[in-house]
Amino acid sequence: MTRERYNPKESEPRWQAVWEEKKLFSTANDDPRPAYYVLEMFPYPSGRIHMGHVRNYTLGDVLARYKRARGFSVLHPMGWDAFGMPAENAAMQNGVHPREWTWANIASMRNQLKPMGLSLDWEREFATCDPEYYRHQQRLFIDFYNAGLVYRKTAKVNWDPVDQTVLANEQVIDGRGWRSGAIVEQRELTQWFFRITQFAGELDSALDSLERWPEKVRTMQRNWIGRSEGLMVRFAIANAGAVANAGAHSEITVYTTRPDTLFGASFIGVAADHPLARDLAAGNPELAAFIADIRKTGTAQELIDKAEKRGFDTGLRVAHPFDPDWLLPVYVANFVLMDYGTGAIFACPAHDQRDLDFARAYGLPVTPVVCPPDADPASFTVGDEAYAGDGRLINSRFLDGMTSAEAREEVARRLENARLAGAPVGTRKVNYRLRDWGISRQRYWGCPIPMIHCEACGVVPVPVEQLPVLLPDDVTFDKPGNPLERHPTWSKVDCPRCGAPARRETDTMDTFVDSSWYFARFTDPWNREAPTTASAVARFMPVDQYIGGIEHAILHLLYARFFTRAMKATGHVSLDEPFAGLFTQGMVVHETYKTTSGVWVEPRDVRIEGSGADRRAVHVRTGEAIVIGPIEKMSKSKKNTVDPDEIIAAYGADTARWFVLSDSPPERDVVWTDEGVQGAWRFIQKVWRLTNEVASLPPGDDTPSKGAAKAVRKAAHKAVAAVTEDIERLRFNRCVAQLYELSNAIQGAMNAAAEAGDASAETVSALREAMSIMVQLIAPMTPHLAESCWEALGNEGLVASTPWPGYDPALLVEDEIVLPVQVNGKRRADITVARDADRATIEQAALAQDSVRRAIGDAPVRKIIIVPQRIVNVVV
Ligand code: ANZ
Ligand code: ZN
């Protein structure tokens, strides 16, 4: 009997070599079996993998291995999201070239990933910074351009003064650059845009069809897209002649979602960039100065929402659409955005907080017109807080008494029929908050935009046969700004159309572009002619299960959904939605530690002593007392990280994998603890010990089994059913619990058989069967251990290529049931009887109970009611 400890240092590399040699995880595109595509969000090559990666890839790997065992041809690839600022920062700080830095990081991270034993198809690996990848991205860009999905416009942009680049609105968080943390400024630049708004409606409505996406993510996307139904309303300008430069304007069109509040209108607000404001400013230096001033705030919504409300009275007056004698002032207002709706609003201060703040600042009327359901219409007033909800209309002439919904409809109907200069005053309109995606970045380490600017021809795409537009190698990083722009020759080219000297575009693409189609490229990364191959896309797409962090719930996923539609429109794929199933995993978190003087200390330098209320920490080397802080996401800044390399070196990959799967549901955070890791390690040793005990059982003799056989078979078959269902639903922590239970059942059966002296053939083979099943079930999670056990049990081949076990449904049926017994409706006892026990047996068992007999006493039993499988009632 082997009593040796399981040694992952020896077995893990050995099994990895065997899998690789047999090319077990290479996926052939012409495999006749049905395909299953599981993908984890690919990593940025920062240099080292962290526990978040370990968790993410383990989750995907369990599914990949399971689906393979279920007979699917599984596509499970890995690559690198390799462009981006950190490489340039490294170049600036350490003088290392971004390319070298990136490829060196990729090499070391690949070396860290391989020991995890992930069942990846490494033959499909690519990095997005490889010209063999980005040339195809340039091709897509040109195809999108020709399809009208890419355009250039001058726009106000968010400028990150530290990274010296433009940021998308999505990349501005609390008014700061998402990467640099610098306060964002506003600039006017000519930029390249993807026309994501063309698909706004589809991107919104198709969310309903994504049934295997978390509801939370769908809601976040829905809010981001921001569909609203409203009304365009035209207001006639009453005094254009009296205001300088207003002559060309006779009306202002606003977009409103609250036409019910029209009688609460107090003023009109137009954006600083509204054509009317621009024209008026040309004749009014004071207004021009005001506009220049408010431009300093960034373009991001949250910035504008937070900024103090400021306005400028243009002197213009417009007529209320329902009352030509009611005139409203027109302000240029800093909270009105040009790129939403029409860039103009009517303001109703009582029912919109921004309007209210503005009205209070400028002394404008505040008339409530919607009375909340719980307020008294006669006395309802608005103080500092607008009432934004629905209610009953007041102070609104013919709308009075209507609900908000009725009033919205009534106003829309009337204004659709009213005329101004021969056209309807009101038009219904659906609007989206979503804006087009600005992808120009003034950076070096990104995919070059394949466009050429010619004085005579304008913008000309690089001819497709000349792709890729390669990044030059000889660039400098000694000053901020775009190295491509200051390169002496790179941007100097001849115009492909007329041959005249022209200028290459020096902007590169936002790195979110790179990750917007990599999943499609994985289906055929060998195609040199085109970004995708129709048959491969058809075979593998959509991704059956995509797994990644919730931080990508909006941007990355929305861009990928847009790209898939744009690629369909340009003939590169034939589907709309890239990810049929989405799973967002929780984070790996850990306690934080500090010295008493407030310096962060790494977990590896801390020893925990005592437990419960007495639990305390000391520094391993100095013995000084350490303060235990809250549990937080592992981060370098708080030094509460645990290095996967160290864990794998000490315990092996299987222990790390088992632990990240075991402690909490995969969508929740998992707390990394030393005790947890120890527990995982002990379980792995236990499975190994049990395997060897079962493997060394002598062949059974022909005495009849003493009953242990059936119990252990039942436990194993039940575990198959339960683990199968739990894996299908990604409830891996429950699989872990099932497997703990099964190991206990096998151990129990071994002990019982030994005690009873039961060495029957039936029992021995039941134990062997149960142990083999245990090994098969655990294989997706701890694949190396499983191979070693499979070998020790003397089974054929590799468990990694063995079909998933089935189960015998008959063994899942409980053959005994518990029935409550009542006497005159009062519960007195429970009896355990065979599921198919007959009436007489049940009656006899019920009446044999002491507590039942006592309750009956001397009274004669009048009848016994038995509700089959449910209850027994004795009536006296
Ligand atoms: C009058 C009104 C009264 C409004 C009221 C709201 C409350 P959503 O739902 O997000 O589409 N709005 C329209 N265009 C704007 C712009 N360019 N800049 C700033 N605000 C703008 O928002 C629509 C509402 O936002 C519109 O409805 C408009 O104000 C404002 F009690 O019209 B509302
Ligand atoms: Zn030209």
Side-chain angles (χ1 to χ4, degrees), residues 453-458 460 494-502:
H453 302 275
C454 168
E455 235 160 76
C457 310
V460 184
D494 292 339
C495 168
R497 201 161 286 163
C498 73

Side-chain angles (χ1 to χ4, degrees), residues 226 228 255-258 261 335-348 351-352 354-355 431 433:
S228 69
Y255 174 70
T256 178
T257 50
R258 295 296 305 271
T261 66
F335 68 94
V336 183
L337 313 168
M338 190 54 222
D339 55 359
Y340 185 67
T342 63
I345 61 157
F346 86 76
C348 177
H351 304 292
D352 181 287
R354 296 163 304 177
D355 299 351
N431 254 325
R433 283 258 156 224

Side-chain angles (χ1 to χ4, degrees), residues 73-87:
S73 165
V74 172
L75 176 57
H76 187 212
M78 178 58 74
W80 310 95
D81 189 11
F83 274 135
M85 272 308 287

Side-chain angles (χ1 to χ4, degrees), residues 607-628:
R607 188 175 59 242
I608 302 291
E609 296 176 346
S611 63
D614 197 30
R615 194 167 174 274
R616 60 196 180 273
V618 294
H619 198 286
V620 175
R621 282 189 303 274
T622 64
E624 104 188 81
I626 294 293
V627 183
I628 301 180

Side-chain angles (χ1 to χ4, degrees), residues 37 39 42-45 75 77-83 102-103 106 110 121-134 136-137 513-527 531-532:
Y37 189 177
L39 181 68
F42 68 161
Y44 175 77
L75 176 57
M78 178 58 74
W80 310 95
D81 189 11
F83 274 135
T102 305
W103 286 107
I106 289 173
R110 190 193 298 115
D121 182 354
W122 285 102
E123 287 168 30
R124 293 175 190 249
E125 176 190 4
F126 59 75
T128 56
C129 64
D130 188 333
E132 284 307 307
Y133 180 78
Y134 72 65
H136 299 294
Q137 189 162 307
V513 179
D514 313 337
S515 51
S516 290
W517 70 285
Y518 77 107
F519 44 85
R521 183 69 188 165
F522 273 139
T523 64
D524 185 2
W526 304 284
N527 186 345
T532 56

